[in-house]
Amino acid sequence: MKNDTLAAIGTRIAEIRRYHKVTQESLADLLGVSPKHISHVENATSSLSLKNLIQFCTIFDCSLDYIVLGKQSNKALAELPDEIVKILSAGSSRERDRLNQYLQFYIELQAKQD
């Protein structure tokens, strides 16, 4: 894998880990790896196994497409702004609920204008 790809994956993993206020040590425990390995992953000198990537996505309720590719492979989602995709892919349930409320409000406003 190219170093820039590893760097992007490591950045997204670190971003999600920090967002959820999980330390490298805690993440290492959850995945059954060393904290040093997590540091190497986040600094693009190593990578997680597919098993650990899937486990990471399960723990943080995020998309593997988002971790590996930086976006959803779903064409409809690919049309959305990056910040919305980030919330849908890696955001907390609270953020997704808030986004849903905004979208419902927008739909109601559009219906009133029609």
Side-chain angles (χ1 to χ4, degrees):
M1 212 177 296
K2 289 184 180 178
N3 197 35
D4 54 338
T5 302
L6 286 179
I9 291 169
T11 298
R12 286 188 285 274
I13 287 171
E15 203 172 74
I16 291 169
R17 176 186 60 75
R18 287 184 192 114
Y19 176 83
H20 290 280
K21 296 178 174 57
V22 173
T23 64
Q24 288 183 339
E25 292 78 13
S26 295
L27 178 57
D29 287 342
L30 290 168
L31 298 179
V33 298
S34 72
K36 189 173 187 175
H37 184 60
I38 298 300
S39 176
H40 286 261
V41 168
E42 292 182 1
N43 290 301
T45 58
S46 187
S47 62
L48 289 176
S49 68
L50 180 57
K51 175 186 163 214
N52 283 337
L53 280 172
I54 292 169
Q55 190 174 1
F56 179 90
C57 291
T58 301
I59 291 166
F60 294 107
D61 191 26
C62 62
S63 161
L64 188 58
D65 282 346
Y66 176 71
I67 297 296
V68 176
L69 303 174
K71 58 185 174 181
Q72 295 287 344
S73 61
N74 180 305
K75 290 186 189 243
L77 291 175
E79 299 286 324
L80 295 172
D82 288 342
E83 288 303 313
I84 291 176
V85 172
K86 190 181 281 188
I87 291 169
L88 293 172
S89 301
S92 67
S93 60
R94 182 176 175 204
E95 283 182 318
R96 288 191 301 266
D97 288 344
R98 187 178 310 139
L99 177 60
N100 188 44
Q101 289 172 354
Y102 290 142
L103 292 173
Q104 290 298 325
F105 181 68
Y106 176 78
I107 290 167
E108 290 171 15
L109 284 176
Q110 289 298 315
K112 288 179 184 179
Q113 290 180 353
D114 291 338

